[in-house]
């Protein structure tokens, strides 16, 4: 896929396709406006516009792709895309309840326990902003993409679906499962406009790289300016239920901590969701009437080793390589703040999850790491020296000792590791570069390879073009689904800790779209992982059994869970909650925000 068009290059084609399709409807809406013009004017807030300070726009807008996970993605998805159930914080504040969204659904109920059958009844009025109905086809499209496209977010629940049926003119959806699935309410969150995305260039993987063309929520995207990192969301006039109170929500780049504080003081911004250290948080909290809180975001950054490659198929090599990497340093680099951030220290649970307990074993010392590598046949050559580059004047260059140890070699070949990251993901790129620096110092030939997301999580991974990935995974969703998605034995045979994997269950889907990115698993855990996914065993017991064995695989190094400073100016806007569910954060109740007159 190296010759394929990039996500950015497909934007114009996608917009043209959307215009063509819209023109074929019986009552076409106004044309979908271009959102990426370099000459687009700066969005001008109205009196009833709530301005939210952000860091940047992020990669893309498909909430179901690993490469598009970002605070802005989560915000826009919650404001624009419809869901059968919406996340709300539990009464104790430690978890999430999924409640039926009655603005979208009339009902959603289990009608048959065996096989598990769920019947969704969509409101007749529910429609996309181009007039197309929100219907069963949107459910079916999302299911099919989640189980076959590379880089999808935790698809284990979708892989339990046997069929998605339609009746009642597409307004009744019957979902039949192959097994029990207690987390079924989390399925089909953030439905996509299938009538547009399926026919757009790049489809599921690239069709929302630059925009979400239509809305099924309270707001629609009016304008995007990547140069200024601005997204203007406007009230969706085709929304069939109670309209949103704000006319617009403007997401705008915050700038430096001092610039952000000035924006909040002057009323140029009323809400903030930004990264920053303790000093930035204290600066905002000192402003009169401003409430602040530090909030976890629903994503975790991790380094995953690709055990499909020849060198990393050996667990001794994987454990030695990971031991040469400093997770505290990676967490500090990934946080982008001046203060150190505690790295994530568990394989399945994230720091925001109820019951999170750090489970990481003590990191191997340097000599122990080299001993593991030596057991696998990799031995360091003699330490080399380097000569300073020639200069135009001054004394002749002299030889100086190189602090790097010699290269790690086996059978005359160096240990080389190519670390893949998604294009334009600056945080992942910075962390990957830091990993490369540490590995080079340790004598490993390491490099960063930036790829289009669909290539990174697809062909590059399964065809062994990369040896590792630094990227984001979802946090805050069903824990058993995360465990099954990321650590189940692949559906087609690959590397394991011992013994063959189970036969293919669904063709070669897992071979082309693996959710277990490392390709390595422990077959002895598979039965308990399946039981946890189906709710037939206690997840806490499964996790206690699984965590030590997952660390023994030496395949995944969690780096950090994203953390932002959330702030709201109390004398500028009402209704902003700083303790919303992690999936939507402060934006969960944005339709009810009220801008106060100055």
């Amino acid at each position: 896929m190296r010759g394929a068009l990039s996500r950015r290059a497909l934007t114009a084609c996608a917009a043209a396709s959307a215009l063509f399709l819209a023109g074929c409807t019986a009552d076409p809406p106004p044309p979908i406006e271009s959102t990426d013009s370099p000459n687009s004017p700066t969005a001008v807030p109205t009196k009833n516009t709530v301005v939210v300070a952000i860091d940047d726009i992020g990669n893309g807008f498909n909430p179901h792709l690993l490469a598009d996970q970002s605070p802005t993605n989560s915000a826009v998805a919650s404001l624009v895309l419809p869901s059968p159930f919406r996340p709300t914080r539990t009464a104790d504040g430690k978890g999430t309840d999924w409640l039926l969204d009655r603005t979208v659904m009339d009902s959603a109920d289990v009608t048959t326990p065996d096989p598990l059958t769920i019947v969704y009844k969509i409101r007749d009025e529910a429609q996309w902003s181009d007039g197309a109905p929100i219907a069963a086809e949107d459910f079916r499209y999302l299911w099919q993409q989640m189980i076959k496209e590379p880089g999808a977010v935790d698809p284990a629940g979708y892989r339990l679906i046997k069929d998605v049926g339609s009746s009642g003119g597409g307004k009744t959806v019957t979902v039949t499962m192959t097994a029990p699935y207690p987390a079924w309410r989390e399925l089909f969150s953030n439905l996509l406009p299938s009538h547009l995305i399926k026919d757009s260039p790049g489809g599921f993987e690239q069709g929302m790289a630059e925009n979400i063309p239509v809305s099924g929520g309270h707001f629609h995207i009016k304008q995007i300016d990547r140069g200024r990192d601005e997204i203007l969301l406007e009230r969706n006039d085709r929304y069939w239920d109670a309209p949103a109170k704000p006319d617009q929500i403007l997401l705008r780049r915050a700038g430096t901590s001092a610039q952000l504080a000035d924006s909040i003081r002057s009323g140029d911004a009323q809400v903030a969701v930004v990264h920053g250290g303790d000093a930035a948080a204290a600066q905002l909290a000192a402003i009169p009437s401003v409430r602040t809180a530090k909030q976890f975001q629903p994503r975790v950054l991790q380094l995953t080793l690709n055990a499909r490659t020849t060198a990393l198929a050996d667990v001794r090599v994987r454990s030695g390589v990971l031991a040469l990497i400093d997770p505290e340093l990676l967490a500090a680099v990934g946080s982008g703040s001046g203060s150190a951030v505690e790295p994530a220290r568990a394989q399945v649970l994230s720091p925001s999850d109820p019951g999170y307990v750090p489970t990481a074993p003590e990191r191997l010392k340097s000599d122990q790491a080299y001993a593991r590598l030596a057991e696998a046949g990799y031995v360091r050559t003699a330490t080399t020296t380097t000569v300073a580059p020639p200069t135009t004047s001054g004394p002749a260059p002299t030889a100086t000792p190189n602090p790097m140890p010699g290269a790690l070699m086996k059978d005359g070949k160096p240990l080389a590791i190519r670390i893949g990251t998604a294009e334009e993901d600056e945080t992942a790129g910075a962390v990957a570069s830091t990993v490369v620096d540490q590995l080079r110092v340790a004598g490993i030939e390491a490099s960063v390879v930036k790829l289009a997301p669909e290539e990174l999580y697809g062909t590059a991974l399964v065809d062994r073009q990369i040896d590792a990935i630094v990227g984001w995974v979802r946090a805050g969703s069903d824990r058993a689904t995360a465990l099954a998605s990321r650590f189940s034995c692949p559906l087609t045979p690959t590397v394991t800790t011992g013994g063959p994997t189970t036969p293919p269950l669904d063709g070669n889907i897992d071979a082309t779209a693996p959710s277990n990115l490392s390709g390595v698993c422990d077959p002895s855990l598979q039965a308990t992982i399946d039981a946890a996914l189906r709710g037939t065993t206690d997840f806490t017991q499964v996790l206690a059994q699984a965590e030590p064995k997952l660390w023994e695989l030496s395949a995944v190094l969690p780096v950090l869970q994203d953390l932002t400073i959330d702030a709201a100016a109390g004398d500028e806007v009402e209704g902003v909650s700083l303790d919303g569910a992690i999936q939507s954060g402060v934006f969960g109740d944005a339709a009810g925000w009220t801008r106060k007159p100055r």
Side-chain angles (χ1 to χ4, degrees):
M1 294 181 64
R2 286 191 177 276
L5 292 173
S6 69
R7 304 181 92 194
R8 295 279 186 267
L10 284 166
T11 304
C13 298
S17 297
L19 286 170
F20 173 79
L21 290 169
C24 296
T25 60
D27 182 20
I32 298 172
E33 300 177 23
S34 173
T35 60
D36 201 28
S37 169
N39 299 317
S40 55
T42 302
V44 179
T46 67
K47 290 183 178 180
N48 198 23
T49 298
V50 178
V51 180
V52 182
I54 61 172
D55 291 310
D56 53 48
I57 289 179
N59 282 357
F61 297 96
N62 188 337
H64 305 289
L65 290 178
L66 292 172
D68 285 358
Q69 301 301 296
S70 73
T72 302
N73 179 306
S74 299
V76 172
S78 67
L79 299 174
V80 173
L81 297 175
S83 299
F85 291 82
R86 291 286 180 180
T88 59
R89 182 77 75 172
T90 55
D92 60 9
K94 297 180 180 179
T96 301
D97 283 333
W98 291 83
L99 304 180
L100 186 70
D101 187 343
R102 296 192 178 277
T103 66
V104 179
M105 309 296 300
D106 280 330
S107 64
D109 299 297
V110 173
T111 59
T112 305
D114 187 17
L116 179 63
T117 304
I118 308 128
V119 175
Y120 300 82
K121 293 186 178 180
I122 309 168
R123 286 182 59 171
D124 289 338
E125 312 95 312
Q127 64 174 343
W128 297 100
S129 55
D130 62 356
I134 297 172
E137 181 58 29
D138 299 319
F139 284 70
R140 186 173 185 84
Y141 175 78
L142 183 57
W143 163 50
Q144 292 176 333
Q145 303 312 301
M146 290 296 290
I147 64 174
K148 73 178 184 180
E149 294 297 337
V153 174
D154 292 342
Y158 288 94
R159 286 179 172 168
L160 293 179
I161 296 176
K162 180 180 180 181
D163 187 45
V164 175
S166 173
S167 59
K171 288 296 184 176
T172 297
V173 188
T174 302
V175 177
T176 307
M177 312 286 288
T178 61
Y181 184 52
W184 63 269
R185 292 173 182 80
E186 297 185 36
L187 294 172
F188 306 109
S189 293
N190 299 316
L191 289 165
L192 306 181
S194 61
H195 63 292
L196 294 180
I197 302 300
K198 68 181 180 181
D199 294 319
S200 66
F204 182 78
E205 295 173 335
Q206 299 172 330
M208 294 199 299
E210 296 296 332
N211 188 18
I212 301 177
V214 293
S215 171
H218 281 96
F219 296 88
H220 72 93
I221 297 177
K222 174 69 173 178
Q223 178 181 312
I224 296 176
D225 188 331
R226 285 193 172 273
R228 300 185 181 98
D229 276 317
E230 288 186 354
I231 301 177
L232 179 62
L233 296 144
E234 193 172 63
R235 184 191 294 122
N236 178 10
D237 289 336
R238 285 185 177 245
Y239 195 68
W240 54 93
D241 205 84
K245 291 182 179 179
D247 293 334
Q248 299 174 332
I249 294 178
L250 175 60
L251 308 180
R252 172 180 287 175
R253 182 171 57 207
T256 65
S257 296
Q259 290 171 329
L260 171 61
D262 284 342
S263 294
I264 295 291
R265 288 190 194 99
S266 64
D268 289 339
Q270 294 79 47
V271 182
V273 179
V274 297
H275 295 89
D278 293 338
Q283 189 175 14
L284 288 174
I287 301 173
S289 301
V290 172
R291 297 177 292 120
T292 63
K294 286 191 174 183
Q295 297 289 340
F296 281 114
Q297 292 293 320
R299 63 175 187 167
V300 170
L301 189 66
Q302 66 180 31
L303 166 67
T304 304
L305 301 182
N306 184 8
R308 300 168 186 83
T309 63
T310 302
L312 296 181
D314 192 324
V315 66
R316 296 169 298 183
V317 177
R318 298 197 303 271
S319 62
V321 167
L322 291 182
L324 296 171
I325 298 170
D326 182 355
E328 282 79 7
L329 175 58
L330 299 188
V333 171
S335 70
S337 67
S339 57
V341 173
E342 181 72 11
R345 297 179 181 273
Q347 296 280 279
V348 180
L349 297 189
S350 304
S352 63
D353 287 327
Y356 169 79
V357 175
T359 61
E362 184 177 354
R363 183 181 167 203
L364 295 179
K365 294 180 172 59
S366 178
D367 57 345
Q368 294 173 314
Y370 284 117
R372 291 280 180 90
L373 292 165
E375 290 174 8
Y378 286 96
V379 180
R380 286 180 292 174
T381 59
T383 301
T384 59
T385 58
T386 184
V387 176
T391 58
T392 56
S393 61
T398 57
T400 56
N402 184 344
M404 292 176 58
L408 281 159
M409 306 286 289
K410 178 180 180 180
D411 299 330
K413 296 180 179 180
L415 177 57
I417 296 179
R418 301 152 298 179
I419 302 176
T421 65
E423 292 174 336
E424 302 173 31
D425 189 333
E426 294 182 1
T427 301
V431 169
S433 294
T434 304
V435 172
V436 165
D437 292 338
Q438 295 182 74
L439 295 182
R440 285 178 174 173
V441 168
I444 297 173
E445 289 189 7
S447 59
V448 175
V449 182
K450 295 185 178 181
L451 297 169
E454 64 276 7
E455 183 177 2
L456 174 67
Y457 290 101
T459 54
L461 187 69
V462 299
D463 293 344
R464 304 173 178 86
Q465 298 169 25
I466 56 172
D467 304 282
I469 288 179
V470 173
W472 299 94
V473 295
R474 179 72 57 83
S477 296
D478 179 61
R479 301 173 296 174
T481 302
L483 173 64
S485 297
R486 302 169 197 174
F487 296 102
S488 286
C489 289
L491 303 183
T492 51
T494 186
V495 180
T496 67
T497 55
T501 58
T502 54
L505 300 179
D506 194 3
N508 291 315
I509 285 177
D510 198 78
T512 57
S515 60
N516 180 338
L517 300 181
S518 72
V520 67
C521 70
D522 186 338
S524 70
L525 287 175
Q526 193 59 54
T528 54
I529 290 175
D530 291 341
L533 183 67
R534 291 156 174 75
T536 57
T537 190
D538 181 69
F539 179 79
T540 303
Q541 295 179 359
V542 171
L543 196 61
Q545 176 187 355
E547 280 281 340
K549 293 187 176 183
L550 296 178
W551 284 112
E552 290 175 2
L553 295 177
S554 297
V556 177
L557 179 65
V559 176
L560 61 88
Q561 181 166 6
D562 198 11
L563 185 70
T564 59
I565 302 169
D566 295 358
D571 56 357
E572 293 285 340
V573 63
E574 292 180 339
V576 180
S577 173
L578 299 183
D579 59 354
I582 184 175
Q583 293 82 0
S584 54
V586 302
F587 297 94
D589 51 12
W593 290 352
T594 303
R595 179 75 185 270
K596 299 168 67 176
R598 301 197 71 182

